Structure formats: C-alpha cells, structure tokens
Amino acid sequence: MKKKLKLTYLKKATKFLKKNAHISEEEVDALVIRFVKSHFYGIDINSDYKQMQGKLTDTYRIRKGTIRIIVKVVNDEVMIEAIISDIGYRGGIYK
C-alpha cells in the first residue's frame, strides 16, 4: 500500500535553516525522504538515522556530517507525517 508523506517544519527548525547556509531545506527534505524509504518501506538506501531512547521512541535522529535533524514520525494507515522539530549542530542539538 502506498502512503502519502507530509513534512512539517517547526519554528525552531525553520529558524536554523534561515540562519545557516550549511544545509538547505531541499537537502533536509531529501534526507527525510531517504529515511522514510529506508525505515518504513525497507528500501536499501544508505541513510544514517537512529531511534531516540527513553520517552522519545517515535522520534528519530538523522545525521549529515556535524548537523543533526530531529524528526518525529506519526504513522497512520494512509499517511506518514514527519515533523522536523529541530535542526542543529551535534554539540547543542540534544540540550
């Protein structure tokens, strides 16, 4: 069954993208799409992601160099919603 994908950026992530030129919104979109294909559809794509621990079990971390993208996934029957909650450098993203 084919599902639709909806990407939602929170204010914190949008602010990081506007301030920094190291990664663009198109690159973030491509990384999240690769993550969804790899995790939900089982397509063998080289995607560096990990599931967060503790109470954040529906949240994933996608890595691109020193930048981390925090994605919360809401999986329904018809649509996958990926909420990009934060983007930042590895030193301060988890605080």
Side-chain angles (χ1 to χ4, degrees), residues 3-44:
K3 296 182 180 184
K4 292 183 179 181
L5 176 65
K6 178 182 176 187
L7 298 179
T8 306
Y9 286 84
L10 294 184
K11 185 177 180 182
K12 207 174 191 185
T14 306
K15 186 176 179 181
F16 180 86
L17 289 173
K18 286 182 182 177
K19 286 175 60 177
N20 296 300
H22 293 100
I23 192 165
S24 67
E25 187 174 343
E26 291 80 21
E27 289 176 306
V28 173
D29 289 348
L31 287 169
V32 172
I33 290 169
R34 286 175 58 173
F35 154 69
V36 168
K37 285 182 180 178
S38 177
H39 184 72
F40 290 102
Y41 294 108
I43 299 172
D44 190 23

